[in-house]
Amino acid sequence: MVDLGGKTVVITGGARGLGAAAARAVVDGGGRVLITDVLEAEGAETADRLGGAARFLRHDVTSEADWQAALDHAMAVFGRIDGLVNNAGIAAGRLLEEESVEHFREVVETNLVGVFIGIKTAVPLMRAAGGGSIVNISSAAGLTGLALTAGYGASKWGVRGLSKIGAVELAEAGIRVNSVHPGMTLTPMTAPVGIQAGAGNFPGAPLGRVGVPEEIAAAVAFLLSDASAYVTGAELAVDGGWTAGPTVRHLTGQ
C-alpha cells in the first residue's frame, strides 16, 4: 500500500471495475476521492461503500461544462486536487472495415477527447497548487496492434501519445503525466467476452491469466503517490507480459 495521505484524487469512470478499484486504493492509502461516472446508482453506491473520504458526481467526460463542474465540486468539497485518473472509456470489438464512422467518432470522443478535456481543465488547478499527478488509463491496445479494436485501439494509442505530450509540457509546473496499459482484466466491461479469473485462463499472456482490477489499481496508486516522484512520461504495462511478446508455449507449439 502506498501513502496517499492528504491527497485528493478525481477518478472518472469510477462507479465500477478499474475505476472503483482505484478509488478504493486511494482511500486505503489515506487519500480522498471524487468518483465521477454516468452510472449514477452504481457510482453513488461505490462512494457510500468507501465512506466519508469519497464523494460521487455524475459526469459526462465528453462535456466541457461537466468537467468544470466536477473539478469545481472537488475543490468545494476537498479544497484541492492532487491527482486525476482519466479512466472512463468505451470498449468495442469491431473489424476496421466493419466499423461505422459514427461509432468510431463516439469511441474517440469518450476515450481520447474526454481525456484531453480533463487534462486541460485540471492543469490550472494543479499548477496553482504547485503540482500534481495525472494518470491516463490507456490499454495493451495502445501498445500494439490488436485486431477488432479499430476505434478503441486508435483512441488508446492517442491517450498514450497525449500522455507523453503532457509529461513534456507540464513538467515545469510540477505536474507528472503517465499512462497505464492494462491487459485483459476481468471487469464488468470485459466479462461479456467470456474471460474468467484464475491460472491458465489466458494463455496469450506469459503469466497465463487475466488480471483483476486491484492489480491495475495498485499501479495507479503508485503513480499518484510521491513514491513515483521521478516518473513522468512513462508507459506502465500491467498486462501479465501480454505485450512483451509471444509465450514460449506459442513459439514451440507445446
Side-chain angles (χ1 to χ4, degrees), residues 112 116 119 136 157-171 175 177-178 232-234:
L112 179 56
F116 163 73
I119 295 172
N136 297 323
W157 276 84
V159 169
R160 176 188 180 189
L162 186 62
S163 299
K164 289 195 177 296
I165 293 166
V168 172
E169 293 188 359
L170 301 173
I175 301 171
V177 187
N178 295 285
T232 195

Side-chain angles (χ1 to χ4, degrees), residues 23-38:
R24 166 60 68 185
V26 169
V27 173
D28 286 350
R32 303 171 299 182
V33 62
L34 174 64
I35 297 166
T36 79
D37 210 305
V38 293

Side-chain angles (χ1 to χ4, degrees), residues 102-200:
E102 180 183 24
H103 187 257
F104 186 92
R105 284 178 172 153
E106 178 187 358
V107 173
V108 171
E109 188 75 15
T110 297
N111 292 5
L112 179 56
V113 178
V115 173
F116 163 73
I117 300 172
I119 295 172
K120 182 178 176 63
T121 310
V123 161
L125 299 173
M126 290 185 172
R127 188 185 293 275
S133 174
I134 299 173
V135 182
N136 297 323
I137 306 301
S138 179
S139 169
L143 292 173
T144 188
L146 294 180
L148 297 170
T149 69
Y152 180 80
S155 68
K156 293 303 187 178
W157 276 84
V159 169
R160 176 188 180 189
L162 186 62
S163 299
K164 289 195 177 296
I165 293 166
V168 172
E169 293 188 359
L170 301 173
E172 52 81 25
I175 301 171
R176 298 182 294 107
V177 187
N178 295 285
S179 58
V180 172
H181 299 257
M184 189 62 76
T185 306
L186 184 58
T187 69
M189 190 168 68
T190 60
V193 305
I195 62 173
Q196 297 180 348

